[in-house]
Amino acid sequence: ERKKFHTAPVGQVFRLRPFHVLVATGGGYAGYRKYEDYKVEQLEKRGIEVPVKLASEWEVALYKSVPTRLLSRAWGRLNQVELPTWLRKPVYSLYIWTFGVNMKEAAVEDLHHYRNLSEFFRRKLKPQARPVCGVHSVISPSDGKILNFGQVKNCEVEQVKGVTYSLESFLGPRVPTEELHFSKAPPGHSFQQQLVTKEGNELYHCVIYLAPGDYHCFHSPTDWTVSHRRHFPGSLMSVNPGVARWIKELFCHNERVVLTGDWKHGFFSLTAVGATNVGSIRIYFDQDLHTNSPSYSKGSYNDYSFISNNNKEGIPMRKGEHLGEFNLGSTIVLIFEAPKDFKFNLKAGQKIRFGEALGSL
């Protein structure tokens, strides 16, 4: 009365599908890159300058083969799972210890209050934890690390020192002038010149990287009016400084939400860039925005105007006002027009907190 066991042919057991090969290869390569980034960080801490080494096309394609969008959606669902009360403190304490979170700044310090990881990531701060600088015209919209800043030159923007991306690829085609109340630029001017609306002004940029342990909400960096939103679906590769140094035009590959409008000196834009496990980008006043969809067309984007028959002024934002949030941590890119005497009060690589000065006239 022996039981019969039926086994599949060896060929079926070891049959590899292309998807599995891509995931395994891409995942292994991503792990290797993480290790390389760690070595670079250690060298920089010792004051040793590391030469820029850009990824080749096949390396970028291999990295993109990792299903980061699928993983990010899975991570988002996991974040929504309610944790038992007894498990909350151990789980959150491990995260706090790993990423150096300062819970004394949180509006609610009791870890049992947060029902799931999503609530913990989106925790609010105490009212006076981040005083907003009233003297300088532009403040940091978030906590984070300054990756780069300065004038935009030759229609190229630096994501980190020595690695650039195209201004037009990043922002997309110019928003119609009637939406931004700007005068029409003369034909033949470059994309950068078309954004500068006042004679004597320059175009400036600032890149802020939010680490997983940082405060995840972002705020309005100045008094301005948001007229237009452009959503680019895309990859969700890591945006940590090591990867930003390795992949040219990383911010143009990744999913991002571009808010454009104007402030007292002309053009102003804030872009929230998605990253691995940060597919969810939320803009508080934009209920129609849905990020990290299961599918999208490569190179596509969708526009939404906040100027309508009922609201011809757009969305007014006050300096320091709540603007949106990330699911975990990512990058904010500011690109704006200002007079030539605008000065940044920053150093590349420095840590900054929401409310602190970025620059002024």
Side-chain angles (χ1 to χ4, degrees):
E1 299 181 359
R2 293 179 180 176
K3 293 182 178 179
K4 293 182 179 180
F5 293 92
H6 298 275
T7 59
V10 175
Q12 287 184 327
V13 174
F14 293 100
R15 183 181 298 167
L16 293 176
R17 298 181 181 179
F19 176 76
H20 297 155
V21 173
L22 285 174
V23 170
T25 308
Y29 192 73
Y32 165 73
R33 286 306 315 173
K34 286 287 186 182
Y35 174 67
E36 290 292 309
D37 296 340
Y38 171 77
K39 290 198 298 184
V40 169
E41 288 176 7
Q42 295 306 307
L43 290 173
E44 289 182 339
K45 286 180 180 179
R46 291 160 54 187
I48 301 173
E49 186 172 348
V50 181
V52 174
K53 183 181 179 182
L54 294 177
S56 61
E57 290 186 11
W58 73 264
E59 287 178 308
V60 176
L62 191 56
Y63 191 179
K64 281 186 173 183
S65 71
V66 181
T68 51
R69 295 179 65 84
L70 178 62
L71 293 172
S72 297
R73 285 195 298 275
W75 175 252
R77 293 191 180 96
L78 179 63
N79 288 347
Q80 300 294 331
V81 175
E82 184 169 345
L83 297 176
T85 305
W86 62 268
L87 188 58
R88 294 174 188 176
K89 189 171 182 178
V91 171
Y92 302 147
S93 295
L94 177 61
Y95 186 90
I96 291 168
W97 176 79
T98 303
F99 295 107
V101 179
N102 184 3
M103 284 303 292
K104 291 183 178 179
E105 298 177 331
V108 180
E109 295 184 43
D110 182 11
L111 298 180
H112 296 102
H113 169 79
Y114 303 100
R115 295 173 298 177
N116 52 46
L117 285 165
S118 181
E119 286 189 1
F120 178 71
F121 294 146
R122 295 181 288 106
R123 63 192 177 278
K124 304 302 180 184
L125 298 179
K126 292 175 180 175
Q128 301 304 319
R130 297 288 188 276
V132 175
C133 177
V135 177
H136 293 79
S137 54
V138 184
I139 62 168
S140 176
S142 66
D143 289 7
K145 178 181 181 180
I146 301 295
L147 292 190
N148 217 306
F149 63 92
Q151 285 190 15
V152 176
K153 298 179 180 179
N154 302 320
C155 296
E156 291 282 321
V157 186
E158 280 194 319
Q159 58 191 28
V160 294
K161 185 178 179 180
V163 182
T164 63
Y165 56 92
S166 162
L167 178 65
E168 186 168 6
S169 297
F170 182 69
L171 295 178
R174 187 165 174 261
V175 177
T177 54
E178 59 269 18
E179 287 198 12
L180 297 181
H181 311 291
F182 295 161
S183 57
K184 188 174 181 180
H189 280 214
S190 69
F191 183 80
Q192 179 178 335
Q193 291 171 325
Q194 291 176 34
L195 295 181
V196 177
T197 63
K198 298 180 180 179
E199 188 175 351
N201 280 3
E202 297 288 348
L203 205 61
Y204 297 86
H205 73 99
C206 182
V207 183
I208 305 169
Y209 167 68
L210 289 74
D214 288 326
Y215 169 56
H216 294 341
C217 297
F218 51 93
H219 301 245
S220 176
T222 192
D223 296 334
W224 65 307
T225 300
V226 183
S227 304
H228 186 271
R229 179 260 290 161
R230 176 168 287 158
H231 172 216
F232 290 87
S235 301
L236 289 175
M237 294 184 284
S238 172
V239 292
N240 72 49
V243 177
R245 188 185 296 106
W246 178 56
I247 297 181
K248 182 178 173 64
E249 300 206 331
L250 172 64
F251 299 155
C252 297
H253 288 292
N254 272 17
E255 181 158 12
R256 60 198 181 278
V257 177
V258 182
L259 300 178
T260 54
D262 60 293
W263 70 319
K264 60 183 178 181
H265 298 297
F267 174 81
F268 199 96
S269 73
L270 179 150
T271 301
V273 183
T276 307
N277 293 337
V278 196
S280 174
I281 302 172
R282 183 182 174 194
I283 304 297
Y284 293 137
F285 57 75
D286 189 355
Q287 302 302 315
D288 294 318
L289 175 65
H290 301 286
T291 58
N292 198 10
S293 300
S295 61
Y296 68 95
S297 299
K298 184 178 179 180
S300 65
Y301 61 86
N302 58 77
D303 288 336
Y304 186 88
S305 174
F306 297 110
I307 296 178
S308 64
N309 293 330
N310 298 325
N311 176 24
K312 292 188 177 296
E313 299 302 322
I315 308 294
M317 297 296 301
R318 303 294 297 174
K319 184 167 66 174
E321 185 177 352
H322 277 86
L323 182 54
E325 63 189 38
F326 290 113
N327 186 48
L328 184 59
S330 192
T331 297
I332 297 284
V333 180
L334 302 179
I335 298 175
F336 57 93
E337 173 185 1
K340 291 182 178 180
D341 55 351
F342 181 88
K343 300 294 183 184
F344 284 102
N345 302 315
L346 302 171
K347 291 182 179 179
Q350 78 172 72
K351 292 289 291 183
I352 197 165
R353 304 202 304 175
F354 154 61
E356 295 178 345
L358 285 184
S360 191
L361 296 169

